[in-house]
Amino acid sequence: MPTQALIMFAAGIGIPLLAALNARLGANIGSPAAAATVLFLVALMAAAVTMVLTGTDALRAIPGQPKHLFLAGLLVAFYVLSITYVAPTFGVGNAVFFVLLGQLASSAAIDHFGLFGAQVNPVTGLRLAGIAVMTLGVAITQMGAAR
């Protein structure tokens, strides 16, 4: 299995863990926004340490970048705030189920149109069938959990 696949598999494992941990922190302290703030402070420190250890000076190029690329920060904030707020009452599995559905839809559109410089990978009938099977599989796992 390529290294990239293993990294992304590990990231996939981390998403529900992030949801469960931060949802519990938000519930314990009574503020999903405060829990999200703590999460982002820890993430900022981890990213900064990684940047320093890798010796990059890429921050100098930031001012020249298209402003729409910074929307990614708002999207991750929306994800973390929403999962931290929703998961304690909706369930981590249910919350991540709908996140996965959104990821399937948006990733197919991004790949199909090559949005934001992504490699073009057209949505074909076979690919749609695969997305449908994945959606069904995720739905079945949630139906089994509801019993």
Side-chain angles (χ1 to χ4, degrees):
M1 184 177 288
T3 302
Q4 295 94 334
L6 289 173
I7 291 169
M8 296 318 302
F9 181 74
I13 290 170
I15 289 173
L17 292 172
L18 176 159
L21 294 169
N22 221 50
R24 177 53 37 214
L25 179 61
N28 285 354
I29 65 176
S31 174
T37 301
V38 170
L39 178 140
F40 284 117
L41 288 172
V42 172
L44 174 63
M45 287 187 287
V49 166
T50 302
M51 182 183 66
V52 169
L53 292 177
T54 59
T56 184
D57 63 348
L59 288 179
R60 287 190 222 160
I62 294 294
Q65 299 307 304
K67 301 306 177 225
H68 71 276
L69 297 180
F70 299 104
L71 291 173
L74 293 177
L75 292 170
V76 75
F78 174 72
Y79 168 74
V80 169
L81 286 164
S82 63
I83 200 88
T84 303
Y85 174 74
V86 169
T89 56
F90 193 51
V92 172
N94 287 330
V96 172
F97 166 75
F98 284 100
V99 167
L100 289 171
L101 291 182
Q103 287 177 330
L104 288 171
S106 66
S107 62
I110 289 167
D111 283 356
H112 181 77
F113 296 107
L115 300 176
F116 314 112
Q119 178 179 328
V120 174
N121 188 7
V123 175
T124 62
L126 185 60
R127 194 155 179 229
L128 278 175
I131 290 169
V133 168
M134 290 174 69
T135 301
L136 181 61
V138 173
I140 289 169
T141 66
Q142 285 312 104
M143 285 184 240
R147 292 180 173 224

